Amino acid sequence: TDETATENILKAMQIYSSLCGTLNMTIPRDAFITAMCKASLPPHYTLTVLNTNLLKSDTKGDRRRECDDVSHSGLNCNNLSGASQLPLGLYLGSCDGHEMRQQVVAVGTPLPTASLPLGAQQGPVMLTAKNLQCMRAVLSLAHCHGAVLGTAWHLVLTTLQHLVWILGLKPSTGGSLKASRSSDSTNAVITTAVMADLPVLSAMLSRLFESSQYLDEVALHHLIDALCKLSSESMELAYTNREPSLFAVAKLLETGLVNLFRVEVLWRPVTNHLLEVCQHPHIRMREWGAEAVTFLVKAALYHKYTPSLKDNKKLQTMLLSPLQELSSIPHPDIRQKQLDCALQVLHSSGDIISSGWPQLLDVISAINEDQGYSSFSFLNLICNNFFF
C-alpha cells in the first residue's frame, strides 16, 4: 500500500541520516533530514530554515572534503544542494489534489516566522495523514539517532515546533504538551481520529526529550543549543507582539529535569537562557521562563546527589543562583513567582541548605510591600524552623 511504501522510504531515510551522521558527513545528513522535515509540513509552508543551501560551508576545504566523502559513497554531491527542493513525491509517493484533500486530518494556523513581514497574514494550513506519518518518522529519527544529529537538531526541533503549533498543543506542568481544551487559545480544527492521536504524539515528544539522558555531553549540548536558539527566535518574534511559541522553553525544562543527575553539565546554559526569557516584555513568554526556572530549582534541590547536596556547598550555591538572580528583574509577576518558589524551597528543602542561606536571604531582602509577602514573615519562618 501507499502507507507501507511511505513507511519503508522513511525508514531508509532514517538509516541514511544516521549513517551520514556517524561518518560526520553533515551535508548529506542534513539533506536527508531536511527532506523528512519538509514532508512533515503542509505543502508550500514558509519555513526559511528548510530552504537554506545545505552545501554552504564555512570553508571551501570542508565542502571539498565532504564532497569527496560523498562521492566515495556513490552519491552525487552536486545534486545534494537541491535535495531539499525536490518534489516531496520523489521521496514519499506523489498524490493528486483529490487524494490530498481526502487525507486532510487537521487544519490550523501557521506559526509566525521572522521571514513573514509584520502585519502580513497567512491563511490556515492543512496537515494530512502523510504529514503526521512523516512527523512520527522525524520523532523516531531524533529519538533513536539523536547522538549523531549535531547541528541538525535545529532543523528537527524547528519542524516539530511548527507542527505542534498547527496541532494546537500547548505546554503544561513539567514541560509536556497537551491538547488545548479552550477554543479561544487555538484555532486548530482536528478530526476525531487525530484528536485521539494527540496524546500519543505528545507522549512521543516527551519521550524524545526524556531520552536526552542517554546522550553524551557533546550531543546534549547540541540539543540544548538548538533549543536555546529556537527560544531566542521566538523571543524576537514576541517583541513585535506576535504570539510566541513556548515549545522551546517547555522542552528546555523537560530536558533539564531528566538530566539532573549531571546537573553541572547543563545548569548554567539552561538557566542563563531562561533568565533572559524571564526579562521579556511579553507576559506569556516571561511567565513560562519563570515557571521553567523555578520548577528546575525546586526539582534540583529535591534531587538525590552523591555526595549529598547538604555536604556539597558549591552545588547548593550553583542551584540557588538563578533564584537569586530573579531579584534583578523588575516585573512584579516574576518577583511573585520567585517568592512563591523561595517559600516552597524553605518548606521542602530548608533542612539541607547550609551554604545557600546567603542567597535565600538576599531574595528575602529584596521583597517589597506590593508582593504579598513581608521580609519579617520569611525571617520568622526561617528562625522558628531552622535555627531554634
Side-chain angles (χ1 to χ4, degrees), residues 24-25 27 57 59-72 77:
N24 292 319
M25 298 166 62
I27 294 171
S57 182
T59 63
K60 293 182 179 179
D62 289 343
R63 182 187 184 282
R64 189 178 299 111
R65 183 170 59 255
E66 290 204 16
C67 285
D68 290 341
D69 292 341
V70 175
S71 63
H72 291 157
C77 187

Side-chain angles (χ1 to χ4, degrees), residues 34-51:
T34 298
M36 292 177 67
C37 290
K38 276 196 160 188
S40 303
L41 293 164
H44 315 299
Y45 195 84
T46 305
L47 195 52
T48 306
V49 70
L50 298 182
N51 293 324

Side-chain angles (χ1 to χ4, degrees), residues 10 13-15 17-18 29 33 36-37 134-150 152-160 204-215 219-220 223 226 247:
L10 289 168
M13 294 177 75
Q14 290 179 59
I15 293 170
S17 300
S18 175
R29 178 200 68 192
I33 293 174
M36 292 177 67
C37 290
C134 295
M135 177 185 180
R136 291 188 185 93
V138 171
L139 282 166
S140 177
L141 168 70
H143 179 81
C144 299
H145 308 292
V148 298
L149 289 187
W153 269 112
H154 186 246
L155 289 171
V156 170
L157 295 176
T158 301
T159 302
L160 293 176
M204 289 179 71
L205 278 162
S206 288
R207 282 198 297 272
L208 166 60
F209 292 94
E210 288 167 7
S211 68
S212 66
Q213 62 187 296
Y214 304 113
L215 297 175
L220 178 63
L223 171 59
F247 173 84

Side-chain angles (χ1 to χ4, degrees), residues 176-216:
S176 61
L177 299 171
K178 306 287 185 188
S180 176
R181 296 182 180 180
S182 170
S183 58
D184 296 332
S185 60
T186 176
N187 294 318
V189 178
I190 313 293
T191 62
T192 304
V194 174
M195 187 62 75
D197 279 346
L198 288 183
V200 177
L201 291 172
S202 175
M204 289 179 71
L205 278 162
S206 288
R207 282 198 297 272
L208 166 60
F209 292 94
E210 288 167 7
S211 68
S212 66
Q213 62 187 296
Y214 304 113
L215 297 175
D216 61 35

Side-chain angles (χ1 to χ4, degrees), residues 228-248:
C228 289
K229 183 177 180 181
L230 205 58
S231 176
S232 295
E233 292 167 2
S234 294
M235 289 170 67
E236 285 298 317
L237 284 172
Y239 279 118
T240 59
N241 287 323
R242 287 191 265 191
E243 184 66 24
S245 169
L246 301 170
F247 173 84

Side-chain angles (χ1 to χ4, degrees), residues 268-337:
R268 296 194 189 283
V270 170
T271 57
N272 285 347
H273 178 77
L274 292 176
L275 287 168
E276 289 181 27
V277 178
C278 290
Q279 301 176 54
H280 201 281
H282 195 288
I283 187 168
R284 283 283 292 152
M285 179 65 80
R286 69 170 182 264
E287 274 181 356
W288 254 95
E291 170 70 18
V293 167
T294 54
F295 201 103
L296 268 177
V297 168
K298 289 182 288 187
L301 290 171
Y302 193 74
H303 189 75
K304 304 300 180 186
Y305 301 94
T306 304
S308 69
L309 183 59
K310 190 171 186 177
D311 300 323
N312 193 336
K313 296 181 179 181
K314 183 179 178 181
L315 183 58
Q316 282 186 42
T317 303
M318 185 183 77
L319 297 182
L320 286 168
S321 178
L323 187 64
Q324 180 186 21
E325 290 183 47
L326 288 174
S327 297
S328 63
I329 299 175
H331 297 294
D333 52 337
I334 301 300
R335 299 297 302 283
Q336 185 67 43
K337 197 79 175 175

